[in-house]
Amino acid sequence: GGRCRSVVAAAASAEAESPSPSPSKSAFVKDLREKQLLGLGLADLEAKVIGLGEKKFRGKQVYQHLLQGVHSIDDMTSLSKVFREKLKDEGLVVGRSKIHSTAKATDGTEKLLLELADGAIVECVGIPCDDLEDNRDRLTVCVSSQVGCAMACTFCATGKMGFSRNLTSAEIVDQVLHVAQRFPDQRVSNIVYMGMGEPAMNLNMVVESQQFLNKGLGIGARHITISTVGVPNTIRKLAEHKLQIILAISLHAPNQALRETLIPTAKAYPLEALMEDCVHYFKTTGRRVSFEYILIKGVNDEIQHANELAQLLQSHGNELMRSHVNLIPWNAIDDADFQRPSRNRVMAFMRQLKRQGVNSVSVRRARGSEEAAACGQLRNNLRKGKVAIPPAPAL
């Protein structure tokens, strides 16, 4: 999976118990999506231009411009001026955001704050690979799926912001294009939906953006990770798409009682039901599930927790025993009472999992934490007046 240093964020709950966007916000997002061209597939663009009385091939021309990362309809220079004016007269826009500010860590990780059409701010992160033993050209982009998050996880910076609205597929794809432009010598190879927000609460736009990134930008589906704490019914709904993506479950606890203390909304989605849905996902898609587990000192990092986690996976047979477990040492955020465990403690937890038969285990390396590159931290700092970086001009 990706190495986004986000605190993988975002619990979820039953839709009935999850705060929903206000009608005005929902209407705004719906209206915005109808105006934006970015994120639409080729067939949709062809249908749109035919509806404007143009020939079908104009849709492909528009599509190619979008893949090139244009910022405005006027940048689509292969289109006639008359057609460009027609698109604008229809109220259509590309759907690109402005870069508000950036922060770069010494390891090359770069966090961008993007200002959307309504002034909302979202984060995305570019994470270049610098492992000599790995593919040196790898560039992972960590994208947000919502403005803020409704889930209020106790360990998560984004959870402290509250929820504003869903992002459109254009606003998700836009994040990838911005990062790609910041790393001109590298090709985006991996996408992780591990930024701000709970992807399962915005599943339609997440899937639509994934399709554009995969089919349009040519990023392999098996290099795209969608992360979720699990919203009832959505894992099964995602399974129906039969995508070849990596599904990452933000687990963070090996039992229901502890999970509810970390993720208050987990009360609506018992761990047993979540595990059964993961088994169903594997059987439907043939894709193994990955489990994210943030290690917090003295909270969920004891040897007994490792034993419980192994037992939880074993109790669901080979389907989940083939899963990958990604251990993430907790990244400090403001206003939190938690502590990061020592490296020895992290390694002991991993060794115990392996002793218990969980063979596919890794520890996520810290990336960008000195620049508040954990999910939501830079935006939180902006709100508190701690970000002194001047706004960058729109590209």
Side-chain angles (χ1 to χ4, degrees), residues 303 348 350-358:
I303 293 299
M350 181 172 75
R351 284 194 299 270
Q352 188 62 20
L353 283 177
K354 289 188 172 182
R355 279 193 204 104
Q356 296 296 324
V358 182

Side-chain angles (χ1 to χ4, degrees), residues 178-212:
H178 272 301
V179 170
Q181 289 164 347
R182 303 291 293 186
F183 292 84
D185 298 327
Q186 288 178 273
R187 180 182 174 277
V188 174
S189 57
N190 295 70
I191 305 291
V192 291
Y193 288 77
M194 294 183 177
M196 294 164 56
E198 165 52 61
M201 296 298 288
N202 190 19
L203 198 57
N204 289 342
M205 291 295 100
V206 165
V207 170
E208 187 172 283
S209 64
Q210 184 273 337
Q211 292 288 289
F212 187 93

Side-chain angles (χ1 to χ4, degrees), residues 255-273:
N255 62 65
Q256 180 68 14
L258 179 55
R259 197 162 191 261
E260 286 181 17
T261 67
L262 295 172
I263 306 166
T265 50
K267 293 180 181 71
Y269 198 9
L271 197 50
E272 185 60 29

Side-chain angles (χ1 to χ4, degrees), residues 171-297:
E171 291 169 328
I172 297 171
V173 171
D174 170 70
Q175 297 170 54
V176 178
L177 295 177
H178 272 301
V179 170
Q181 289 164 347
R182 303 291 293 186
F183 292 84
D185 298 327
Q186 288 178 273
R187 180 182 174 277
V188 174
S189 57
N190 295 70
I191 305 291
V192 291
Y193 288 77
M194 294 183 177
M196 294 164 56
E198 165 52 61
M201 296 298 288
N202 190 19
L203 198 57
N204 289 342
M205 291 295 100
V206 165
V207 170
E208 187 172 283
S209 64
Q210 184 273 337
Q211 292 288 289
F212 187 93
L213 295 170
N214 174 224
K215 295 175 181 174
L217 293 181
I219 299 165
R222 295 187 176 212
H223 296 277
I224 298 175
T225 300
I226 295 176
S227 173
T228 176
V229 167
V231 177
N233 306 317
T234 58
I235 292 175
R236 289 176 180 260
K237 188 175 175 185
L238 182 61
E240 289 171 11
H241 291 278
K242 297 194 175 176
L243 305 176
Q244 289 298 294
I245 54 106
I246 298 166
L247 173 64
I249 302 297
S250 298
L251 195 61
H252 311 319
N255 62 65
Q256 180 68 14
L258 179 55
R259 197 162 191 261
E260 286 181 17
T261 67
L262 295 172
I263 306 166
T265 50
K267 293 180 181 71
Y269 198 9
L271 197 50
E272 185 60 29
L274 173 60
M275 293 294 115
E276 287 173 6
D277 285 348
C278 289
V279 171
H280 175 267
Y281 183 88
F282 174 80
K283 288 179 175 176
T284 303
T285 65
R287 300 287 289 148
R288 73 176 185 172
V289 177
S290 178
F291 290 97
E292 310 280 311
Y293 192 100
I294 292 173
L295 287 166
I296 304 170
K297 183 179 178 182

Side-chain angles (χ1 to χ4, degrees), residues 37 42 45-46 48-50 52 54-68 70-89 92-94:
L37 298 172
L42 178 57
L45 286 168
E46 288 172 341
K48 195 173 279 284
V49 300
I50 289 169
L52 295 175
E54 295 288 332
K55 294 230 169 33
K56 182 179 176 181
F57 76 91
R58 294 288 184 204
K60 188 166 188 181
Q61 287 182 315
V62 173
Y63 189 56
Q64 287 168 337
H65 279 297
L66 296 173
L67 295 177
Q68 290 162 5
V70 296
H71 281 253
S72 71
I73 287 171
D74 286 330
D75 293 337
M76 298 183 182
T77 51
S78 73
L79 306 181
S80 69
K81 189 174 181 191
V82 172
F83 182 37
R84 280 180 275 161
E85 291 302 319
K86 185 185 285 190
L87 291 172
K88 290 191 286 184
D89 288 345
L92 298 172
V93 296
V94 171

